[in-house]
Amino acid sequence: MTSIGVEHVGGFHGLPVHTARPSAGEPPAADAVAWRLQCDYDEDLDFAGLWQQFLDTVDTARVRALVIGPWWRDSYTPFAPVMELIVSHADRFPALRALFLADVVGEECEVSWLRMCDITPVLEALPLLEEFTVRGCGREGLALRPLRHTSLKSLRFESGGLPGDVVRAVAASGLPALERLDLWFGSSWYGGDATIDDIRPVLSGGGFPRLRHLGLQNSEIQDEIALAVGSAPVVAQLETLALSMGTLSDQGGEALLTGQPLNHLATLDLRHHFLTEAVLDRIRTACAPAVVEGGEAEEDYGDPDDEPERYVAVSE
């Protein structure tokens, strides 16, 4: 089991990421970059002060993308005050189309420790938002309520433990413009309690008519997901499908082979898997000309005489 990663995003929403620093010189044009706001140990400002300085020095009416990094200076703090700042100043960002909450890497804070909150008010306050990425775990308060948002095209939850409540809220939301959906389910140890029944409304294909990419990833029930995908109506409308980062084994691989054809896809992402080489090769052949991204299988751990123990790519 691994943490979220070692590098911050270098680009977001098609823009290079630029960190807003209190001591920096002349800033770039407001609409030329994705602005990253983060607290640094060697700076005196807390996040509220950094946020206010950003409002005072950057033409926020032209800002197109925001990336929120670590929001604490000394000890970890909940995310709710940061969310409240964004919501209370939403009218200052009429051009904002993309928001990444918590681009935090493992050296700064494990994903399971990120103290998130109900992020619904952000979407309600930014009705023109097109891309929304959230990183965090259910054990630390991550929540979402069903809502209608007519502009959102990309929704991504990067989690080591995604709550079933969040998955059900996504499935129950009205998102008519949604083209990309990524859900990292994570581990039950860290609040990842979503079931296959929580995912079925997404798989039905009726809720998101414009969906072209679906990621159901990083799951301890990856074989069950593969079985459900085999007969899911939504698959016919997809261009790319990701079932990566989880515990996919030959059982799930056989379900993909006996289910509906997947050769209309451009790519099928199966990276971080527990498939035997023979089954992976059969999937590649069956899915051609689709590109199947797989790589070498992960190794089971635990007692060789017992049931194999498998792990998701991101949990702690």
Side-chain angles (χ1 to χ4, degrees):
M1 294 177 286
T2 62
S3 58
I4 193 70
V6 296
E7 295 184 357
H8 297 128
V9 294
F12 183 55
H13 201 60
L15 300 168
V17 173
H18 174 80
T19 301
R21 299 190 183 280
S23 56
E26 186 69 20
D31 56 358
V33 298
W35 291 89
R36 176 182 174 83
L37 278 72
Q38 66 176 43
C39 287
D40 293 319
Y41 291 109
D42 57 351
E43 299 284 357
D44 293 332
L45 289 177
D46 60 9
F47 191 88
L50 179 66
W51 179 260
Q52 188 58 55
Q53 185 176 80
F54 181 67
L55 295 181
D56 293 341
T57 58
V58 174
D59 182 3
T60 59
R62 295 169 56 199
V63 170
R64 297 162 57 196
L66 278 177
V67 177
I68 306 299
W71 56 90
W72 62 90
R73 291 187 62 247
D74 299 314
S75 58
Y76 302 135
T77 58
F79 189 78
V82 176
M83 187 199 67
E84 291 167 4
L85 286 172
I86 297 171
V87 170
S88 64
H89 294 102
D91 61 332
R92 298 282 301 271
F93 295 88
L96 189 66
R97 297 296 180 267
L99 179 62
F100 190 155
L101 302 184
D103 178 27
V104 177
V105 298
E107 287 186 354
E108 296 163 334
C109 180
E110 298 292 358
V111 66
S112 60
W113 299 349
L114 291 174
R115 300 170 66 181
M116 298 304 291
C117 60
D118 184 347
I119 46 82
T120 315
V122 171
L123 288 169
E124 293 174 334
L126 298 169
L128 299 181
L129 200 68
E130 296 177 357
E131 184 172 358
F132 189 39
T133 298
V134 181
R135 183 176 291 172
C137 267
R139 194 175 70 173
E140 295 297 340
L142 177 62
L144 176 72
R145 290 177 277 108
L147 79 163
R148 180 168 178 80
H149 196 292
T150 59
S151 300
L152 199 64
K153 296 180 180 179
S154 175
L155 178 61
R156 182 178 179 89
F157 283 94
E158 298 182 352
S159 181
L162 189 63
D165 286 347
V166 171
V167 177
R168 290 190 291 274
V170 170
S173 292
L175 306 173
L178 195 68
E179 298 174 359
R180 300 183 60 86
L181 175 63
D182 287 282
L183 302 173
W184 294 12
F185 296 98
S187 168
S188 56
W189 285 97
Y190 298 103
D193 59 357
T195 68
I196 196 67
D197 287 336
D198 297 330
I199 306 167
R200 290 195 194 281
V202 175
L203 297 175
S204 72
F208 308 128
R210 296 189 182 180
L211 197 67
R212 295 297 178 265
H213 166 82
L214 178 60
L216 303 174
Q217 302 160 266
N218 199 47
S219 177
E220 294 177 330
I221 59 168
Q222 205 73 57
D223 285 342
E224 290 185 58
I225 292 173
L227 179 62
V229 162
S231 60
V234 73
V235 171
Q237 71 189 61
L238 299 179
E239 297 173 357
T240 55
L241 174 64
L243 305 177
S244 56
M245 303 173 63
T247 60
L248 186 69
S249 72
D250 282 359
Q251 180 181 357
E254 292 290 348
L256 293 176
L257 286 165
T258 58
Q260 62 186 306
L262 300 176
N263 53 7
H264 68 287
L265 297 172
T267 60
L268 172 62
D269 185 359
L270 303 180
R271 289 174 295 179
H272 185 98
H273 62 83
F274 295 85
L275 297 163
T276 60
E277 187 174 348
V279 171
L280 182 57
D281 285 345
R282 288 170 57 202
I283 294 173
R284 286 196 172 106
T285 299
C287 291
V291 175
V292 177
E293 299 175 339
E296 294 186 4
E298 304 296 319
E299 294 186 8
D300 299 330
Y301 67 95
D303 191 326
D305 297 326
D306 294 334
E307 194 72 22
E309 297 183 48
R310 300 180 176 122
Y311 51 91
V312 297
V314 174
S315 55
E316 184 181 5

